[in-house]
């Protein structure tokens, strides 16, 4: 089985070719690094070609390249030598730190530093001359300097990669937050649109069905009057919502935030549409003002409950009761629950989903479903909205 070597990178090929050509020019000119060696000039070509070949492996196999380069440099010391061979060896040391494993990157600077110190003191002890320090300096330039340079470059690259990763993670989190914000805003807009318009459209559907099914000019005229009134109110609510969406400054926001003070008008409108509704507001008249989100949620829940009663409830009385506890507002709406005798508008269940979402957003509890009562079976909507006393005080 043939040994397959990894394909060298382009930068490694350029370094190898340029180093080899430079070494050949120095050799041809007779510029040798160690002219006093026993082996002839031709022997210096062997480590030159070997090191040039190892340059091709500097990025893909740095450890193997460093081991073989060390052997080639030792052999080069017995020849007349070539400056290009020494430079290629320093580059392979540098590449071993930059492209090698993290363990190798930590060990090589320490190892080369120890070798540099050992060679320096070894030659000082052997020669007993100050010039021996120059040998240590040369060894440091060939071994320790490229290793420490490689550490600096590797640390810089790792820091840059970590910063890039953090930036990508930050961008990803920002995109996730944006998507969640858009989704939440779309859900809020859908709830507002449903609560603001569904009541009027349901009344229009019911009365138009009644007008078509009853052969009574007076009843048809009354139904058309209700249809017109609900059409006008529905268009007004739609314009208000569109104005809010188009207004960048948010100046129209207060108009889209009804309060519990408007429940009387809401109930009166339901009576106009044909519902027998009673409102029992058992809150203290001079009690603290509720936070705006709680009032809005309670108003919309009552509005949607009346809409559902108009569409689905059988003839009978619908009751709305509000009670305020020390830390909660309770809303309870009951309506007759039987098979309707008259025309009723179809429903998709979006109203119950919207009421539940409004309640859960404020941390409250929501219950709905049929229940037995002394007057027969009724459909109840029971909501408890928590009220933070600190918020109450802030509103006063």
């Amino acid at each position: 089985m043939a040994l397959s070597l990894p394909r060298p990178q382009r930068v490694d090929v350029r370094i190898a070719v340029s180093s080899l050509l430079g070494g050949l020019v120095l050799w041809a000119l007779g510029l040798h690094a160690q002219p006093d060696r026993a082996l002839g000039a031709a022997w210096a070509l062997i480590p030159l070609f070997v090191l040039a070949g190892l340059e091709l492996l500097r990025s893909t196999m740095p450890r193997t390249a460093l081991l073989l380069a060390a052997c080639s440099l030792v052999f080069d010391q017995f020849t007349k030598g070539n400056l290009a061979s020494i430079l290629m060896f320093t580059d392979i040391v540098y590449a071993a730190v930059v492209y090698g494993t993290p363990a190798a990157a930590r060990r090589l600077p320490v190892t080369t530093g120890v070798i540099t110190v050992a060679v320096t003191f070894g030659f000082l002890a052997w020669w007993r001359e100050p010039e021996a320090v120059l040998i240590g300096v040369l060894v440091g330039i060939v071994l320790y300097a490229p290793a420490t340079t490689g550490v600096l470059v590797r640390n810089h690259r790792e820091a840059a990669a970590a910063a890039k990763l953090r930036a990508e993670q930050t961008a990803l989190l920002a995109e996730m937050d944006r998507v969640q914000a858009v989704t939440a805003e779309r859900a809020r807009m859908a709830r507002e649109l449903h609560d603001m318009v569904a009541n009027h459209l349901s009344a229009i559907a019911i009365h138009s069905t009644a007008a078509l099914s009853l052969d009574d000019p007076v009843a048809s005229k009354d139904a058309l009057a209700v249809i017109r009134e609900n059409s006008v109110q529905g268009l007004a609510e739609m314009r208000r919502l569109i104005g809010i969406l188009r207004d960048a400054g948010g100046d129209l926001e207060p108009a889209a935030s009804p309060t519990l003070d408007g429940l009387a008008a809401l109930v009166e409108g339901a009576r106009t549409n044909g519902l027998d509704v009673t409102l029992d507001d058992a809150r203290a008249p001079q009690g603290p003002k509720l936070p705006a989100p709680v009032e809005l949620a309670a108003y919309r829940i009552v509005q949607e409950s009346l809409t559902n009663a108009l569409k689905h409830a059988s003839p009978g009385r619908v009751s709305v009761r509000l009670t305020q506890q020390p830390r909660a507002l309770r809303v309870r709406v009951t309506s007759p629950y039987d098979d309707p005798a008259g025309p009723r508008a179809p429903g998709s269940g979006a109203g119950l989903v919207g009421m539940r979402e409004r309640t859960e957003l404020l941390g409250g509890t929501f219950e709905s479903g049929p229940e037995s009562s002394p007057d027969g079976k009724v459909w109840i909507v029971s909501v408890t909205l928590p009220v933070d006393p600190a918020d109450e005080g802030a509103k006063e």
Side-chain angles (χ1 to χ4, degrees):
M1 182 176 179
L3 179 62
S4 60
L5 295 177
R7 186 175 181 177
Q9 298 184 9
R10 291 184 179 180
V11 63
D12 298 341
V13 175
R14 289 196 292 266
I15 292 175
V17 172
S18 60
S19 299
L20 179 60
L21 292 177
L24 290 176
V25 170
L26 293 176
W27 179 83
L29 294 176
L31 299 176
H32 304 295
Q34 303 158 154
D36 57 345
R37 294 297 187 267
L39 296 179
W43 290 95
L45 294 177
I46 297 177
L48 178 67
F49 277 92
V50 171
L51 288 167
L54 294 176
E55 285 280 20
L56 300 175
L57 306 177
R58 63 189 292 275
S59 300
T60 55
M61 301 177 63
R63 182 178 179 180
T64 302
L66 179 60
L67 293 176
L68 296 178
C71 297
S72 299
L73 186 66
V74 172
F75 178 78
D76 186 67
Q77 300 308 306
F78 296 96
T79 69
K80 292 186 178 296
N82 194 305
L83 181 61
S85 299
I86 298 174
L87 293 178
M88 283 190 287
F89 176 79
T90 59
D91 179 68
I92 291 174
V93 174
Y94 163 83
V97 176
V98 174
Y99 302 108
T101 62
R106 292 191 300 268
R107 288 196 298 262
L108 278 175
V110 177
T111 303
T112 55
V114 171
I115 293 175
T116 301
V117 173
V119 169
T120 302
F121 284 100
F123 274 91
L124 276 175
W126 182 19
W127 288 359
R128 299 183 184 277
E129 295 290 342
E131 288 78 4
V133 177
L134 297 178
I135 302 297
V137 172
L138 293 176
V139 173
I141 293 174
V142 175
L143 289 177
Y144 185 67
T148 53
T149 303
V151 169
L152 295 176
V153 173
R154 186 185 181 107
N155 291 340
H156 176 73
R157 290 184 178 181
E158 290 177 350
K164 181 180 179 181
L165 180 60
R166 286 194 298 270
E168 292 175 351
Q169 291 176 343
T170 302
L172 179 60
L173 292 175
E175 178 65 16
M176 292 174 61
D177 290 341
R178 186 192 69 81
V179 171
Q180 291 176 357
V182 170
T183 302
E185 183 63 17
R186 290 179 62 182
R188 187 189 70 84
M189 291 166 54
R191 287 194 301 269
E192 289 295 318
L193 180 62
H194 179 275
D195 293 343
M196 293 169 64
V197 181
N199 183 47
H200 301 296
L201 293 182
S202 299
I204 291 171
I206 291 173
H207 286 84
S208 61
T209 303
L212 292 173
S213 60
L214 298 175
D215 189 13
D216 185 351
V218 176
S220 298
K221 184 177 180 180
D222 293 339
L224 290 175
V226 175
I227 290 173
R228 183 185 183 281
E229 181 181 355
N230 280 277
S231 300
V232 172
Q233 292 178 358
L235 287 174
E237 296 285 358
M238 183 70 74
R239 290 193 200 98
R240 187 179 298 116
L241 179 60
I242 294 175
I244 294 171
L245 296 178
R246 287 180 175 175
D247 181 49
D251 295 337
L252 300 178
E253 183 64 23
S257 300
T259 65
L260 294 179
D261 294 336
L263 282 183
L266 181 65
V267 169
E268 187 61 32
R271 290 174 183 154
T272 303
N273 291 331
L275 278 181
D276 181 10
V277 189
T278 61
L279 174 61
D280 181 12
D281 191 349
R283 296 177 299 151
Q286 303 299 326
K289 186 173 178 60
L290 295 171
V294 174
E295 291 209 28
L296 175 61
Y299 181 93
R300 293 303 188 196
I301 289 170
V302 172
Q303 183 183 45
E304 181 57 30
S305 298
L306 295 178
T307 301
N308 288 342
L310 180 65
K311 293 192 293 184
H312 306 297
S314 58
R317 174 159 294 183
V318 179
S319 65
V320 179
R321 179 175 174 80
L322 277 72
T323 57
Q324 186 166 353
Q325 300 172 350
R327 295 193 177 186
L329 173 68
R330 294 199 62 187
V331 180
R332 182 180 176 88
V333 182
T334 62
S335 57
Y337 181 71
D338 271 324
D339 292 332
R344 288 293 180 265
S348 62
L352 291 176
V353 174
M355 288 189 286
R356 185 179 297 276
E357 287 178 349
R358 287 184 182 277
T359 305
E360 291 177 350
L361 285 174
L362 296 176
T365 58
F366 174 83
E367 296 179 1
S368 65
E371 187 178 280
S372 298
S373 72
D375 298 329
K377 205 169 186 180
V378 295
W379 182 274
I380 63 105
V381 173
S382 179
V383 176
T384 302
L385 300 174
V387 177
D388 189 349
D391 293 338
E392 293 180 8
K395 296 291 182 179
E396 291 179 351

